[in-house]
Amino acid sequence: MTGSPGEADRSGADQSGADRFGGDRSGVDRSGGGQQEWAPVEAPLRLSPKVLLTDPIRMLPSLFLPLVGVLFLSGFSPGSFVWAMLGIVGSVVFAAVRWTTFTYRICGDRLELTRALVSRSVRTIPLERIRGVDISAPPLHRVLGIAVLRIDTGAGGDDKQEGELNGVTVTEAERLKAVLLWHARARAARRAQAQAAGPLTGAGFAPGVDFAPGPGGADVAVTGAPGEPPELSGAARAGRDDGREAGERTPDRVVFVLPRRWLLYGPLSGAYLLTPFALVAGAVGAVLQWGGELRIDRRVVVRAGEWLWEHPPFLAGALALLILAMPVLAVIMYAVFTWDFNLRVREDYLVAERGLLTRRSVSLERRRIRGFELVEGPAERRTGLARAWAIVTGLGDSETRGQLLPVVPRDTVLDVAGREIGGITSGLRPHPPAARRRRLFRAVFPWLAVAACAVAAALLWSGLWWALAVPALVVAGLGVPLGLDRYRSLGHAYDGSRLSVRSGSLRRSQAVVERRAVVGWTLSQTWFQRRAGVLTVTAGVGAGSGGYSALDVGAAEGPAFAAEVTPAWIAPFLSERTAPGGPCGRADRGGLSEGAGRENARRG
């Protein structure tokens, strides 16, 4: 079907139906049988002309050394300034050529990024493959009122490979984000509606059924004859009865806003604690590398280091100052990246915004969220704090983009994650005593071996080896509480709808994953695990890190746990274990892991 032509609305204001997105609404035939799909076709658009200022500035770091080199080699002669000016002008011309030859537009069911200079290059991104759209604004962009829009398709490449518009106005970025996310959501919903609506046409759409933005931004079915404007059905008409126009966006629902005083919790996660040492090392490295160009004698830095080494009190004082500066600079850096963090629900997305100098907005599609991961360090655990990441399918750079909450009280993490994603309702099950012995052995034995070798070397060759033996014995002693804590951290659970696994000590991580996210199992045993009667159970998940493991589970509890979550997958293997000549023998030697993994990967 076709929609009436409409003039592009660059302000991004909400209007009824899909006309709020702007662009040409001429129909595009997708069915192959005369049935037309309602899809926008925009005229090619360019980035904001303000990129002619930002692009040359972004090129300055790469031009700095060549320009400085030209000036110094020419002795700051008039000719050297001419060449330096030509380099700056060349960067501006290059930015102008890039701006002139680059266009973008939404054409039907795809986003086209076109660059045409000598040859024409067109990058096409299907709208239905878009997983998320992020908006960020570095400091200079914020001053000029422009932003960077990045598109995530879940392809696993970097941001620029997936799609990037660096230099659109803030209004245009918000408009594009609404358009791209709506069409990605609507096309997925259209396929599901078509399957339930009846016989399909050649392209897989039910006759006369399409989707349009409905009340609160939801996708609702529309009907109508080909070539006629769409008629809203059921839920869309009901939306008009509650006082809202069809297509009106639901106001954002604020889930969490980070109080300013909680920024002080940042250093407890260990983030940015080494900032003072990094700054000093960077300054020394810059002087040693560029000292000649900046007319700084490198020998001054070397002599300063030698002087500190020869005067231990001053060296200790410098180290003390750096150590005292660690929490202060860590709080400052943490605040710069986490300032004004807020999490809100915007239609069908969880949107996280943060940043002081560079403001960043990340959208996580709720229907693709499969769980969350709660992370705690030693200091965080003692103070009752934690962090959380969302486990999302098809999300690139999940370590950065998937952050659900920064360092906040643990109860807050569980409350927010439980309300918006879903928590685990049963307690974690402990692991057998053999797991404790393995944790202690792995934490203590390697350092005992190092200490024993160092002691032998000290007795047979030189007493200098005592400098290694003593620290190794101290670390081995510290390994006892570390191993016990690692054992206490182990656990797994299943409450009927979600499974959870936990492990780690210095970085304790607990993953809570929906049952439907599990696509396979891997049950593995090393030679040492077989001797101890334990194994590792890994749930293959098409999201997050791809798999979450319950370490050192009892040999009988491991398969039982997998069978509890997905009984239809594991039960046949468990029954074969008891059959004469079956795979029981192979399972005892690790065969169950390979067989179950291959079979369940195929079934998943």
Side-chain angles (χ1 to χ4, degrees):
M1 68 185 70
T2 58
S4 60
E7 183 181 355
D9 179 13
R10 293 297 174 255
S11 65
D14 292 333
Q15 301 176 6
S16 63
D19 285 343
R20 59 182 172 137
F21 296 134
D24 181 10
R25 292 298 183 267
S26 57
V28 181
D29 191 353
R30 304 289 182 207
S31 65
Q35 177 68 23
Q36 288 183 319
E37 179 184 338
W38 195 17
V41 178
E42 291 186 347
L45 302 173
R46 284 193 172 90
L47 302 176
S48 170
K50 296 175 182 178
V51 299
L52 298 179
L53 178 61
T54 60
D55 281 358
I57 293 177
R58 287 194 299 118
M59 296 178 191
L60 282 180
S62 60
L63 294 175
F64 178 75
L65 287 181
L67 293 178
V68 171
V70 169
L71 293 174
F72 276 99
L73 291 176
S74 302
F76 292 91
S77 63
S80 66
F81 283 100
V82 172
W83 285 109
M85 185 59 64
L86 287 177
I88 296 175
V89 172
S91 66
V92 175
V93 172
F94 179 73
V97 171
R98 285 174 56 87
W99 176 77
T100 305
T101 58
F102 178 81
T103 60
Y104 66 92
R105 69 168 180 167
I106 296 176
C107 182
D109 59 353
R110 63 192 183 277
L111 171 67
E112 292 183 352
L113 309 178
T114 304
R115 187 173 296 281
L117 182 57
V118 178
S119 60
R120 180 181 175 86
S121 172
V122 180
R123 177 168 177 79
T124 300
I125 302 177
L127 299 183
E128 62 182 4
R129 294 183 61 87
I130 293 176
R131 301 292 185 263
V133 179
D134 301 342
I135 299 176
S136 61
L140 183 59
H141 286 60
R142 295 180 68 181
V143 172
L144 298 176
I146 58 178
V148 181
L149 183 139
R150 293 185 176 91
I151 301 167
D152 177 24
T153 61
D158 59 29
D159 292 335
K160 292 185 179 180
Q161 290 178 331
E162 295 179 345
E164 178 180 283
L165 297 177
N166 189 341
V168 293
T169 63
V170 174
T171 302
E172 176 68 359
E174 293 293 345
R175 184 193 74 86
L176 280 173
K177 183 175 181 178
V179 173
L180 297 175
L181 294 182
W182 180 83
H183 281 288
R185 185 173 69 247
R187 291 180 183 280
R190 184 182 295 115
R191 288 195 299 270
Q193 174 72 7
Q195 294 176 356
L200 303 179
T201 62
F205 300 107
V209 177
D210 207 330
F211 270 74
D219 302 319
V220 297
V222 296
T223 58
E228 297 180 359
E231 176 186 355
L232 296 174
S233 64
R237 290 193 297 270
R240 292 180 177 174
D241 296 336
D242 63 6
R244 290 202 308 263
E245 290 292 332
E248 182 181 354
R249 200 178 80 176
T250 304
D252 292 356
R253 175 170 60 86
V254 178
V255 176
F256 173 78
V257 176
L258 182 69
R260 298 284 169 80
R261 65 180 184 276
W262 286 6
L263 292 172
L264 298 175
Y265 296 152
L268 296 177
S269 67
Y272 312 112
L273 278 178
L274 297 180
T275 300
F277 296 92
L279 292 176
V280 172
V284 173
V287 170
L288 293 177
Q289 183 175 1
W290 299 333
E293 290 81 357
L294 300 176
R295 296 185 180 275
I296 299 177
D297 191 351
R298 302 176 183 176
R299 291 174 295 181
V300 173
V301 178
V302 175
R303 284 197 295 268
E306 292 175 347
W307 186 86
L308 281 176
W309 186 259
E310 294 171 356
H311 298 78
F314 290 96
L315 178 61
L319 291 176
L321 287 176
L322 290 176
I323 293 174
L324 292 176
M326 288 172 61
V328 177
L329 291 181
V331 169
I332 294 174
M333 294 299 296
Y334 184 76
V336 167
F337 289 100
T338 318
W339 186 263
D340 196 22
F341 178 94
N342 64 84
L343 181 69
R344 60 187 67 220
V345 175
R346 181 175 299 163
E347 296 185 348
D348 294 335
Y349 290 83
L350 278 177
V351 181
E353 298 179 350
R354 67 174 70 86
L356 178 61
L357 300 179
T358 299
R359 192 72 181 162
R360 186 172 189 181
S361 173
V362 178
S363 299
L364 304 176
E365 192 173 5
R366 300 189 72 180
R367 70 185 182 91
R368 298 186 183 278
I369 297 177
R370 296 293 183 263
F372 68 94
E373 185 176 6
L374 185 145
V375 177
E376 304 162 283
E380 293 169 304
R381 288 161 58 187
R382 288 191 172 275
T383 52
L385 304 173
R387 295 159 281 161
W389 277 261
I391 298 174
V392 188
T393 61
L395 182 68
D397 189 19
S398 58
E399 184 65 24
T400 301
R401 299 181 61 233
Q403 186 175 25
L404 189 66
L405 288 173
V407 183
V408 298
R410 191 175 191 273
D411 293 340
T412 302
V413 174
L414 296 177
D415 177 61
V416 172
R419 284 188 287 108
E420 303 302 328
I421 299 177
I424 190 80
T425 58
S426 62
L428 295 175
R429 307 167 191 173
H431 288 201
R436 179 174 59 241
R437 293 193 296 270
R438 282 177 49 79
R439 301 273 84 72
L440 288 170
F441 180 84
R442 296 176 67 175
V444 175
F445 178 76
W447 296 106
L448 284 180
V450 171
C453 294
V455 169
L459 295 176
L460 294 176
W461 292 296
S462 172
L464 295 176
W465 285 99
W466 288 109
L468 176 62
V470 173
L473 287 173
V474 172
V475 175
L478 295 176
V480 175
L482 178 64
L484 294 176
D485 186 63
R486 285 179 175 175
Y487 170 72
R488 287 191 296 266
S489 297
L490 294 178
H492 64 281
Y494 178 63
D495 64 0
S497 59
R498 294 176 179 83
L499 61 97
S500 177
V501 295
R502 189 179 70 183
S503 62
S505 177
L506 301 180
R507 185 185 186 275
R508 189 170 76 175
S509 172
Q510 180 177 356
V512 178
V513 183
E514 296 178 357
R515 178 186 179 277
R516 63 179 177 135
V518 179
V519 297
W521 293 94
T522 299
L523 281 69
S524 58
Q525 279 184 316
T526 64
W527 182 82
F528 295 101
Q529 284 180 309
R530 287 197 295 271
R531 298 269 297 182
V534 295
L535 51 81
T536 297
V537 182
T538 302
V541 178
S545 63
Y548 297 93
S549 300
L551 304 176
D552 289 347
V553 185
E557 295 177 26
F561 176 57
E564 183 181 7
V565 179
T566 55
W569 296 358
I570 306 298
F573 296 97
L574 295 180
S575 61
E576 290 176 359
R577 285 168 61 97
T578 60
C584 180
R586 294 195 303 273
D588 290 341
R589 295 187 299 271
L592 177 61
S593 162
E594 300 173 1
R598 287 195 301 268
E599 178 67 13
N600 292 329
R602 182 183 65 81
R603 296 185 182 188

